[in-house]
Amino acid sequence: MRFTALPLLLCALYIVAVETFTRTPTLTVRIVQKNWREVRSEGRCAPPQSKTLHLSTPLRSTPLHSSIDGDEEVVQDYFMKEDRMQIDLEDCILVGVEDLSHHRLSNQEKDVMNFDHKYTLQESLTEMRELITTAGLRISGEITQRLNDPNPRTYIGTGKVQDITKMCQELKCCTVVFDAELSPRQLKYLENSFNGKPIDDVYNQDAIKVVDRTALILDIFAQHAKTREGQLQVELALQTYRAPRLTKLWSHLERQGGGTVGLRGPGEKQIEVDKRLMRDKITSLKRQIDLVQSQRELHRKGRRSLGLPVVALVGYTNAGKSTLLNTLTSAGVMAEDVLFATLDPTTRKVKLPGLKTHPEVMLTDTVGFIQNLPTHLIASFRATLEEVETADVLVHVIDASNPIWRKQVNAVEGVLEDMGCGGKGVVRVYNKIDLLEDQEGIMNEAAMQDCSVAISCQDRLGLSDFVNSLEKKLSELMEDITCLIPYSKSKEVNLIHEVGNVEFVEYEAECTRIKAKVPRAVSMRLEEFKV
């Protein structure tokens, strides 16, 4: 009897196994939803929220790894094909406005304001689409308008406000993104108009949110800040952005002043408490950033003591600065085809092949720039941007494959001028020539300029020309010296060989006669041995 039951048991196990590996699973995949109102009200991004997606796909033998915003989940029991999984993103409407007020200016005023390098509406919207994609949103509709003067209350015309409200209802969008920096008054009035009533609960997920260009950039910064320094700087920028946008959120918590008859009063309002707390928070963040700044200054002093020149990579965001650093140093810095992939500076000591003036240099990758960069963002990232200010030579990386690269160059040079770095030596690097059909044109453009070169980091083209241009610019920082150095100070001779370009060495009875080109810092250190 027991032998006849064994086949039945095996058949039952087989049926269970087949059913297990052929059924259709329902998985819960976590999706990050942006709560833009919290960017303005709490100075940070909203926590991830969960949606349940019903995924109908056969099981297979590869586990599903889902990683969203750093939260990695491994589904142990369910298996699926990656090309069958679809995740819904948050939809938004993009609003762009072309300001025509400059048409009323005279030709002389236009020349002073340099309108030739001003972004057109379509160029600005193209960049805004990239920012929206990087932030994790999906564009469902676009509305544009040409205005002689922006409306001080709604920025756009009242008719466009009605059109956007209708579009939000039809497309079921809860986010409207403006390609402009809106005032607190405009933000509040637009949200009330889109929702048809004043918004009292800032955490209402069903309400239509308004996001301006600055809030969008700050959210991208918050996503990409990995180090403690980067997080502090992003938080300071968020708090500074939020400060003038506080609203009367908690009026029911206002405290009445105590005392006897004649001394009672309305007390301290909640918005006053919020402002005081925010001022204290900003002060605390600035102290912490000052501490980070002092630590970075110690690192810079250590690098200066080596006598090595510092070369900083600057340029427009997504121009290929991190890729160039990885190509030259194998630094392993994250380099992706997204905007603001790098927020934290990375410095590496590198020995470039063929570099004779300086055998070794310190190469630093910095945060990318963008047009219309808010002033308070530059102030918040001063600890990072000091790497640019203290550099000896700047390498301006340009995305030559971008049709508006000339305007991007002008935007970067404008920021550098505001930082006081306009007089530094610059090497122009036209990157991504592998994406161009006509490479001859950009190569001729680089050949006609001093210390300019066209390269491709992806294909490693033109790197030797880049080294030659960098060496030419570094040679301008060198000083000719002739020294008699006693044998008891042989470490100074070793330093000259390490950081300088030695032209002549002669060993005399009591000292070493050496003629070389060295950096200014080393030349000042050897002042007592000069002849």
Side-chain angles (χ1 to χ4, degrees), residues 119 127 130 213 314-321 339-340 367-372 396-399 402 404-405 407-409 411-412:
Y119 277 53
E127 183 176 86
E130 296 180 8
R213 179 185 176 88
V314 299
Y316 211 79
T317 179
N318 200 26
K321 299 181 295 299
L339 303 183
F340 298 111
V367 62
F369 300 146
I370 197 170
Q371 59 127 354
N372 295 332
H396 186 178
V397 183
I398 303 168
D399 182 4
N402 196 309
I404 57 172
W405 64 265
K407 295 183 179 181
Q408 292 182 347
V409 168
V412 172

PDB file of all heavy atoms in Angstrom, residues 119 127 130 213 314-321 339-340 367-372 396-399 402 404-405 407-409 411-412:
ATOM      1  N   TYR A 119      19.368  82.732 -24.371  1.00  0.00           N
ATOM      2  CA  TYR A 119      18.693  81.531 -24.851  1.00  0.00           C
ATOM      3  C   TYR A 119      17.330  81.893 -25.447  1.00  0.00           C
ATOM      4  O   TYR A 119      16.585  82.698 -24.885  1.00  0.00           O
ATOM      5  CB  TYR A 119      18.484  80.533 -23.706  1.00  0.00           C
ATOM      6  CG  TYR A 119      19.687  79.672 -23.402  1.00  0.00           C
ATOM      7  CD1 TYR A 119      20.930  80.240 -23.153  1.00  0.00           C
ATOM      8  CD2 TYR A 119      19.584  78.302 -23.358  1.00  0.00           C
ATOM      9  CE1 TYR A 119      22.029  79.461 -22.867  1.00  0.00           C
ATOM     10  CE2 TYR A 119      20.674  77.496 -23.064  1.00  0.00           C
ATOM     11  CZ  TYR A 119      21.901  78.079 -22.824  1.00  0.00           C
ATOM     12  OH  TYR A 119      22.991  77.307 -22.548  1.00  0.00           O
ATOM     13  N   GLU A 127      16.426  72.467 -22.702  1.00  0.00           N
ATOM     14  CA  GLU A 127      17.195  72.225 -21.480  1.00  0.00           C
ATOM     15  C   GLU A 127      16.273  71.891 -20.311  1.00  0.00           C
ATOM     16  O   GLU A 127      16.585  71.032 -19.477  1.00  0.00           O
ATOM     17  CB  GLU A 127      18.041  73.452 -21.157  1.00  0.00           C
ATOM     18  CG  GLU A 127      18.936  73.286 -19.951  1.00  0.00           C
ATOM     19  CD  GLU A 127      19.813  74.512 -19.738  1.00  0.00           C
ATOM     20  OE1 GLU A 127      19.351  75.455 -19.085  1.00  0.00           O
ATOM     21  OE2 GLU A 127      20.944  74.525 -20.244  1.00  0.00           O
ATOM     22  N   GLU A 130      15.278  68.267 -20.267  1.00  0.00           N
ATOM     23  CA  GLU A 130      16.331  67.412 -19.711  1.00  0.00           C
ATOM     24  C   GLU A 130      16.331  67.469 -18.191  1.00  0.00           C
ATOM     25  O   GLU A 130      16.526  66.440 -17.519  1.00  0.00           O
ATOM     26  CB  GLU A 130      17.692  67.834 -20.264  1.00  0.00           C
ATOM     27  CG  GLU A 130      17.841  67.658 -21.766  1.00  0.00           C
ATOM     28  CD  GLU A 130      19.209  68.094 -22.260  1.00  0.00           C
ATOM     29  OE1 GLU A 130      20.077  68.384 -21.412  1.00  0.00           O
ATOM     30  OE2 GLU A 130      19.418  68.143 -23.478  1.00  0.00           O
ATOM     31  N   ARG A 213      11.830  76.806 -11.767  1.00  0.00           N
ATOM     32  CA  ARG A 213      13.113  76.272 -12.234  1.00  0.00           C
ATOM     33  C   ARG A 213      14.071  76.011 -11.069  1.00  0.00           C
ATOM     34  O   ARG A 213      14.757  74.983 -11.032  1.00  0.00           O
ATOM     35  CB  ARG A 213      13.741  77.272 -13.221  1.00  0.00           C
ATOM     36  CG  ARG A 213      15.093  76.860 -13.762  1.00  0.00           C
ATOM     37  CD  ARG A 213      15.661  77.974 -14.631  1.00  0.00           C
ATOM     38  NE  ARG A 213      16.995  77.658 -15.101  1.00  0.00           N
ATOM     39  CZ  ARG A 213      17.258  76.992 -16.208  1.00  0.00           C
ATOM     40  NH1 ARG A 213      16.263  76.564 -16.959  1.00  0.00           N
ATOM     41  NH2 ARG A 213      18.506  76.746 -16.563  1.00  0.00           N
ATOM     42  N   VAL A 314      36.217  72.648 -15.317  1.00  0.00           N
ATOM     43  CA  VAL A 314      34.986  73.422 -15.217  1.00  0.00           C
ATOM     44  C   VAL A 314      34.241  73.300 -16.532  1.00  0.00           C
ATOM     45  O   VAL A 314      34.794  72.880 -17.552  1.00  0.00           O
ATOM     46  CB  VAL A 314      35.264  74.908 -14.888  1.00  0.00           C
ATOM     47  CG1 VAL A 314      35.982  75.049 -13.562  1.00  0.00           C
ATOM     48  CG2 VAL A 314      36.081  75.560 -16.003  1.00  0.00           C
ATOM     49  N   GLY A 315      32.972  73.692 -16.512  1.00  0.00           N
ATOM     50  CA  GLY A 315      32.190  73.655 -17.740  1.00  0.00           C
ATOM     51  C   GLY A 315      30.718  73.526 -17.460  1.00  0.00           C
ATOM     52  O   GLY A 315      30.274  73.423 -16.309  1.00  0.00           O
ATOM     53  N   TYR A 316      29.946  73.516 -18.527  1.00  0.00           N
ATOM     54  CA  TYR A 316      28.497  73.374 -18.430  1.00  0.00           C
ATOM     55  C   TYR A 316      28.165  71.964 -17.961  1.00  0.00           C
ATOM     56  O   TYR A 316      28.942  71.029 -18.143  1.00  0.00           O
ATOM     57  CB  TYR A 316      27.865  73.635 -19.793  1.00  0.00           C
ATOM     58  CG  TYR A 316      26.481  74.245 -19.738  1.00  0.00           C
ATOM     59  CD1 TYR A 316      26.311  75.598 -19.503  1.00  0.00           C
ATOM     60  CD2 TYR A 316      25.349  73.471 -19.936  1.00  0.00           C
ATOM     61  CE1 TYR A 316      25.057  76.173 -19.465  1.00  0.00           C
ATOM     62  CE2 TYR A 316      24.084  74.025 -19.907  1.00  0.00           C
ATOM     63  CZ  TYR A 316      23.945  75.378 -19.664  1.00  0.00           C
ATOM     64  OH  TYR A 316      22.696  75.944 -19.611  1.00  0.00           O
ATOM     65  N   THR A 317      27.028  71.816 -17.307  1.00  0.00           N
ATOM     66  CA  THR A 317      26.645  70.500 -16.840  1.00  0.00           C
ATOM     67  C   THR A 317      26.485  69.530 -18.007  1.00  0.00           C
ATOM     68  O   THR A 317      26.003  69.889 -19.086  1.00  0.00           O
ATOM     69  CB  THR A 317      25.334  70.582 -16.035  1.00  0.00           C
ATOM     70  OG1 THR A 317      24.954  69.269 -15.609  1.00  0.00           O
ATOM     71  CG2 THR A 317      24.210  71.181 -16.856  1.00  0.00           C
ATOM     72  N   ASN A 318      26.915  68.296 -17.798  1.00  0.00           N
ATOM     73  CA  ASN A 318      26.850  67.218 -18.791  1.00  0.00           C
ATOM     74  C   ASN A 318      27.747  67.485 -19.998  1.00  0.00           C
ATOM     75  O   ASN A 318      27.466  67.022 -21.110  1.00  0.00           O
ATOM     76  CB  ASN A 318      25.407  66.995 -19.268  1.00  0.00           C
ATOM     77  CG  ASN A 318      25.217  65.615 -19.884  1.00  0.00           C
ATOM     78  OD1 ASN A 318      25.943  64.676 -19.549  1.00  0.00           O
ATOM     79  ND2 ASN A 318      24.260  65.491 -20.775  1.00  0.00           N
ATOM     80  N   ALA A 319      28.851  68.210 -19.780  1.00  0.00           N
ATOM     81  CA  ALA A 319      29.805  68.457 -20.866  1.00  0.00           C
ATOM     82  C   ALA A 319      30.864  67.366 -20.965  1.00  0.00           C
ATOM     83  O   ALA A 319      31.564  67.285 -21.974  1.00  0.00           O
ATOM     84  CB  ALA A 319      30.487  69.814 -20.676  1.00  0.00           C
ATOM     85  N   GLY A 320      30.996  66.519 -19.914  1.00  0.00           N
ATOM     86  CA  GLY A 320      31.966  65.433 -19.950  1.00  0.00           C
ATOM     87  C   GLY A 320      33.158  65.642 -19.047  1.00  0.00           C
ATOM     88  O   GLY A 320      34.217  65.046 -19.284  1.00  0.00           O
ATOM     89  N   LYS A 321      33.019  66.438 -17.983  1.00  0.00           N
ATOM     90  CA  LYS A 321      34.145  66.694 -17.081  1.00  0.00           C
ATOM     91  C   LYS A 321      34.534  65.428 -16.311  1.00  0.00           C
ATOM     92  O   LYS A 321      35.719  65.099 -16.209  1.00  0.00           O
ATOM     93  CB  LYS A 321      33.773  67.816 -16.100  1.00  0.00           C
ATOM     94  CG  LYS A 321      33.441  69.137 -16.760  1.00  0.00           C
ATOM     95  CD  LYS A 321      33.104  70.211 -15.754  1.00  0.00           C
ATOM     96  CE  LYS A 321      31.837  69.904 -14.992  1.00  0.00           C
ATOM     97  NZ  LYS A 321      30.643  69.807 -15.881  1.00  0.00           N
ATOM     98  N   LEU A 339      22.014  65.559 -16.249  1.00  0.00           N
ATOM     99  CA  LEU A 339      22.457  66.852 -15.752  1.00  0.00           C
ATOM    100  C   LEU A 339      22.802  66.750 -14.271  1.00  0.00           C
ATOM    101  O   LEU A 339      22.114  66.076 -13.501  1.00  0.00           O
ATOM    102  CB  LEU A 339      21.363  67.901 -15.964  1.00  0.00           C
ATOM    103  CG  LEU A 339      20.873  68.087 -17.406  1.00  0.00           C
ATOM    104  CD1 LEU A 339      19.839  69.200 -17.475  1.00  0.00           C
ATOM    105  CD2 LEU A 339      22.017  68.377 -18.348  1.00  0.00           C
ATOM    106  N   PHE A 340      23.869  67.425 -13.873  1.00  0.00           N
ATOM    107  CA  PHE A 340      24.318  67.501 -12.478  1.00  0.00           C
ATOM    108  C   PHE A 340      24.554  66.115 -11.878  1.00  0.00           C
ATOM    109  O   PHE A 340      24.114  65.813 -10.775  1.00  0.00           O
ATOM    110  CB  PHE A 340      23.310  68.285 -11.621  1.00  0.00           C
ATOM    111  CG  PHE A 340      23.117  69.695 -12.042  1.00  0.00           C
ATOM    112  CD1 PHE A 340      21.931  70.113 -12.611  1.00  0.00           C
ATOM    113  CD2 PHE A 340      24.139  70.625 -11.890  1.00  0.00           C
ATOM    114  CE1 PHE A 340      21.749  71.425 -13.007  1.00  0.00           C
ATOM    115  CE2 PHE A 340      23.970  71.942 -12.284  1.00  0.00           C
ATOM    116  CZ  PHE A 340      22.780  72.334 -12.842  1.00  0.00           C
ATOM    117  N   VAL A 367      31.507  70.864  -9.783  1.00  0.00           N
ATOM    118  CA  VAL A 367      30.101  70.843 -10.153  1.00  0.00           C
ATOM    119  C   VAL A 367      29.895  71.625 -11.444  1.00  0.00           C
ATOM    120  O   VAL A 367      30.578  72.632 -11.702  1.00  0.00           O
ATOM    121  CB  VAL A 367      29.238  71.436  -9.012  1.00  0.00           C
ATOM    122  CG1 VAL A 367      29.592  72.887  -8.759  1.00  0.00           C
ATOM    123  CG2 VAL A 367      27.760  71.303  -9.322  1.00  0.00           C
ATOM    124  N   GLY A 368      28.966  71.162 -12.290  1.00  0.00           N
ATOM    125  CA  GLY A 368      28.705  71.831 -13.552  1.00  0.00           C
ATOM    126  C   GLY A 368      27.876  73.089 -13.378  1.00  0.00           C
ATOM    127  O   GLY A 368      27.150  73.254 -12.398  1.00  0.00           O
ATOM    128  N   PHE A 369      27.968  73.978 -14.354  1.00  0.00           N
ATOM    129  CA  PHE A 369      27.210  75.220 -14.347  1.00  0.00           C
ATOM    130  C   PHE A 369      26.000  75.086 -15.268  1.00  0.00           C
ATOM    131  O   PHE A 369      25.892  74.142 -16.056  1.00  0.00           O
ATOM    132  CB  PHE A 369      28.071  76.402 -14.803  1.00  0.00           C
ATOM    133  CG  PHE A 369      29.270  76.634 -13.932  1.00  0.00           C
ATOM    134  CD1 PHE A 369      30.466  77.095 -14.463  1.00  0.00           C
ATOM    135  CD2 PHE A 369      29.218  76.388 -12.576  1.00  0.00           C
ATOM    136  CE1 PHE A 369      31.570  77.314 -13.663  1.00  0.00           C
ATOM    137  CE2 PHE A 369      30.320  76.595 -11.764  1.00  0.00           C
ATOM    138  CZ  PHE A 369      31.496  77.062 -12.307  1.00  0.00           C
ATOM    139  N   ILE A 370      25.113  76.055 -15.175  1.00  0.00           N
ATOM    140  CA  ILE A 370      23.927  76.090 -16.018  1.00  0.00           C
ATOM    141  C   ILE A 370      23.489  77.542 -16.156  1.00  0.00           C
ATOM    142  O   ILE A 370      23.826  78.383 -15.311  1.00  0.00           O
ATOM    143  CB  ILE A 370      22.797  75.222 -15.406  1.00  0.00           C
ATOM    144  CG1 ILE A 370      21.729  74.912 -16.449  1.00  0.00           C
ATOM    145  CG2 ILE A 370      22.170  75.897 -14.194  1.00  0.00           C
ATOM    146  CD1 ILE A 370      20.707  73.879 -15.999  1.00  0.00           C
ATOM    147  N   GLN A 371      22.771  77.836 -17.210  1.00  0.00           N
ATOM    148  CA  GLN A 371      22.324  79.215 -17.436  1.00  0.00           C
ATOM    149  C   GLN A 371      21.302  79.611 -16.375  1.00  0.00           C
ATOM    150  O   GLN A 371      20.532  78.796 -15.884  1.00  0.00           O
ATOM    151  CB  GLN A 371      21.725  79.344 -18.840  1.00  0.00           C
ATOM    152  CG  GLN A 371      20.547  78.433 -19.115  1.00  0.00           C
ATOM    153  CD  GLN A 371      19.339  79.184 -19.616  1.00  0.00           C
ATOM    154  OE1 GLN A 371      19.333  80.408 -19.669  1.00  0.00           O
ATOM    155  NE2 GLN A 371      18.298  78.461 -20.002  1.00  0.00           N
ATOM    156  N   ASN A 372      21.295  80.907 -16.065  1.00  0.00           N
ATOM    157  CA  ASN A 372      20.393  81.471 -15.051  1.00  0.00           C
ATOM    158  C   ASN A 372      20.539  80.745 -13.715  1.00  0.00           C
ATOM    159  O   ASN A 372      19.545  80.438 -13.047  1.00  0.00           O
ATOM    160  CB  ASN A 372      18.933  81.411 -15.523  1.00  0.00           C
ATOM    161  CG  ASN A 372      18.681  82.276 -16.739  1.00  0.00           C
ATOM    162  OD1 ASN A 372      19.359  83.279 -16.954  1.00  0.00           O
ATOM    163  ND2 ASN A 372      17.716  81.888 -17.563  1.00  0.00           N
ATOM    164  N   HIS A 396      38.398  74.257 -19.350  1.00  0.00           N
ATOM    165  CA  HIS A 396      36.990  74.491 -19.683  1.00  0.00           C
ATOM    166  C   HIS A 396      36.548  73.419 -20.670  1.00  0.00           C
ATOM    167  O   HIS A 396      36.906  73.443 -21.849  1.00  0.00           O
ATOM    168  CB  HIS A 396      36.811  75.886 -20.280  1.00  0.00           C
ATOM    169  CG  HIS A 396      35.384  76.251 -20.522  1.00  0.00           C
ATOM    170  ND1 HIS A 396      35.005  77.480 -21.021  1.00  0.00           N
ATOM    171  CD2 HIS A 396      34.228  75.560 -20.334  1.00  0.00           C
ATOM    172  CE1 HIS A 396      33.699  77.527 -21.128  1.00  0.00           C
ATOM    173  NE2 HIS A 396      33.211  76.357 -20.725  1.00  0.00           N
ATOM    174  N   VAL A 397      35.759  72.460 -20.191  1.00  0.00           N
ATOM    175  CA  VAL A 397      35.266  71.363 -21.023  1.00  0.00           C
ATOM    176  C   VAL A 397      33.968  71.808 -21.686  1.00  0.00           C
ATOM    177  O   VAL A 397      33.026  72.237 -21.013  1.00  0.00           O
ATOM    178  CB  VAL A 397      35.037  70.093 -20.186  1.00  0.00           C
ATOM    179  CG1 VAL A 397      34.602  68.933 -21.076  1.00  0.00           C
ATOM    180  CG2 VAL A 397      36.310  69.714 -19.429  1.00  0.00           C
ATOM    181  N   ILE A 398      33.904  71.681 -23.010  1.00  0.00           N
ATOM    182  CA  ILE A 398      32.776  72.153 -23.807  1.00  0.00           C
ATOM    183  C   ILE A 398      32.164  70.967 -24.550  1.00  0.00           C
ATOM    184  O   ILE A 398      32.884  70.146 -25.128  1.00  0.00           O
ATOM    185  CB  ILE A 398      33.228  73.230 -24.812  1.00  0.00           C
ATOM    186  CG1 ILE A 398      33.907  74.404 -24.078  1.00  0.00           C
ATOM    187  CG2 ILE A 398      32.057  73.731 -25.647  1.00  0.00           C
ATOM    188  CD1 ILE A 398      34.631  75.357 -24.997  1.00  0.00           C
ATOM    189  N   ASP A 399      30.849  70.876 -24.509  1.00  0.00           N
ATOM    190  CA  ASP A 399      30.138  69.840 -25.267  1.00  0.00           C
ATOM    191  C   ASP A 399      29.965  70.325 -26.697  1.00  0.00           C
ATOM    192  O   ASP A 399      29.016  71.036 -27.029  1.00  0.00           O
ATOM    193  CB  ASP A 399      28.781  69.558 -24.615  1.00  0.00           C
ATOM    194  CG  ASP A 399      28.012  68.450 -25.330  1.00  0.00           C
ATOM    195  OD1 ASP A 399      28.577  67.860 -26.284  1.00  0.00           O
ATOM    196  OD2 ASP A 399      26.862  68.174 -24.947  1.00  0.00           O
ATOM    197  N   ASN A 402      26.644  69.806 -28.773  1.00  0.00           N
ATOM    198  CA  ASN A 402      25.428  70.568 -28.487  1.00  0.00           C
ATOM    199  C   ASN A 402      25.325  71.727 -29.478  1.00  0.00           C
ATOM    200  O   ASN A 402      26.276  72.487 -29.646  1.00  0.00           O
ATOM    201  CB  ASN A 402      25.463  71.096 -27.048  1.00  0.00           C
ATOM    202  CG  ASN A 402      24.107  71.559 -26.567  1.00  0.00           C
ATOM    203  OD1 ASN A 402      23.427  72.337 -27.229  1.00  0.00           O
ATOM    204  ND2 ASN A 402      23.699  71.075 -25.403  1.00  0.00           N
ATOM    205  N   ILE A 404      24.028  74.552 -29.241  1.00  0.00           N
ATOM    206  CA  ILE A 404      24.135  75.886 -28.634  1.00  0.00           C
ATOM    207  C   ILE A 404      25.353  75.943 -27.698  1.00  0.00           C
ATOM    208  O   ILE A 404      25.305  76.607 -26.666  1.00  0.00           O
ATOM    209  CB  ILE A 404      22.848  76.251 -27.876  1.00  0.00           C
ATOM    210  CG1 ILE A 404      22.525  75.209 -26.804  1.00  0.00           C
ATOM    211  CG2 ILE A 404      21.687  76.406 -28.821  1.00  0.00           C
ATOM    212  CD1 ILE A 404      21.376  75.622 -25.891  1.00  0.00           C
ATOM    213  N   TRP A 405      26.431  75.278 -28.090  1.00  0.00           N
ATOM    214  CA  TRP A 405      27.589  75.243 -27.204  1.00  0.00           C
ATOM    215  C   TRP A 405      28.191  76.627 -27.001  1.00  0.00           C
ATOM    216  O   TRP A 405      28.794  76.899 -25.953  1.00  0.00           O
ATOM    217  CB  TRP A 405      28.641  74.274 -27.730  1.00  0.00           C
ATOM    218  CG  TRP A 405      29.265  74.609 -29.060  1.00  0.00           C
ATOM    219  CD1 TRP A 405      28.887  74.157 -30.284  1.00  0.00           C
ATOM    220  CD2 TRP A 405      30.388  75.467 -29.287  1.00  0.00           C
ATOM    221  NE1 TRP A 405      29.689  74.683 -31.259  1.00  0.00           N
ATOM    222  CE2 TRP A 405      30.637  75.484 -30.670  1.00  0.00           C
ATOM    223  CE3 TRP A 405      31.217  76.218 -28.464  1.00  0.00           C
ATOM    224  CZ2 TRP A 405      31.655  76.219 -31.250  1.00  0.00           C
ATOM    225  CZ3 TRP A 405      32.245  76.962 -29.031  1.00  0.00           C
ATOM    226  CH2 TRP A 405      32.462  76.952 -30.408  1.00  0.00           C
ATOM    227  N   LYS A 407      26.581  79.448 -26.567  1.00  0.00           N
ATOM    228  CA  LYS A 407      25.837  80.090 -25.485  1.00  0.00           C
ATOM    229  C   LYS A 407      26.172  79.445 -24.142  1.00  0.00           C
ATOM    230  O   LYS A 407      26.203  80.123 -23.102  1.00  0.00           O
ATOM    231  CB  LYS A 407      24.335  80.005 -25.765  1.00  0.00           C
ATOM    232  CG  LYS A 407      23.905  80.781 -27.002  1.00  0.00           C
ATOM    233  CD  LYS A 407      22.408  80.740 -27.204  1.00  0.00           C
ATOM    234  CE  LYS A 407      22.017  81.560 -28.433  1.00  0.00           C
ATOM    235  NZ  LYS A 407      20.551  81.573 -28.664  1.00  0.00           N
ATOM    236  N   GLN A 408      26.432  78.143 -24.133  1.00  0.00           N
ATOM    237  CA  GLN A 408      26.848  77.487 -22.898  1.00  0.00           C
ATOM    238  C   GLN A 408      28.207  78.006 -22.449  1.00  0.00           C
ATOM    239  O   GLN A 408      28.436  78.209 -21.247  1.00  0.00           O
ATOM    240  CB  GLN A 408      26.891  75.977 -23.103  1.00  0.00           C
ATOM    241  CG  GLN A 408      25.531  75.343 -23.322  1.00  0.00           C
ATOM    242  CD  GLN A 408      25.611  73.840 -23.476  1.00  0.00           C
ATOM    243  OE1 GLN A 408      26.685  73.261 -23.652  1.00  0.00           O
ATOM    244  NE2 GLN A 408      24.468  73.180 -23.417  1.00  0.00           N
ATOM    245  N   VAL A 409      29.108  78.224 -23.393  1.00  0.00           N
ATOM    246  CA  VAL A 409      30.422  78.788 -23.068  1.00  0.00           C
ATOM    247  C   VAL A 409      30.271  80.162 -22.446  1.00  0.00           C
ATOM    248  O   VAL A 409      30.922  80.502 -21.444  1.00  0.00           O
ATOM    249  CB  VAL A 409      31.315  78.840 -24.332  1.00  0.00           C
ATOM    250  CG1 VAL A 409      32.557  79.691 -24.069  1.00  0.00           C
ATOM    251  CG2 VAL A 409      31.712  77.445 -24.762  1.00  0.00           C
ATOM    252  N   ALA A 411      27.688  81.296 -20.814  1.00  0.00           N
ATOM    253  CA  ALA A 411      27.099  81.165 -19.476  1.00  0.00           C
ATOM    254  C   ALA A 411      28.163  80.771 -18.455  1.00  0.00           C
ATOM    255  O   ALA A 411      28.207  81.310 -17.340  1.00  0.00           O
ATOM    256  CB  ALA A 411      25.974  80.136 -19.502  1.00  0.00           C
ATOM    257  N   VAL A 412      29.052  79.844 -18.816  1.00  0.00           N
ATOM    258  CA  VAL A 412      30.114  79.414 -17.899  1.00  0.00           C
ATOM    259  C   VAL A 412      31.090  80.559 -17.635  1.00  0.00           C
ATOM    260  O   VAL A 412      31.474  80.807 -16.483  1.00  0.00           O
ATOM    261  CB  VAL A 412      30.859  78.198 -18.483  1.00  0.00           C
ATOM    262  CG1 VAL A 412      32.086  77.856 -17.631  1.00  0.00           C
ATOM    263  CG2 VAL A 412      29.933  76.997 -18.554  1.00  0.00           C
TER     264      VAL A 412
END
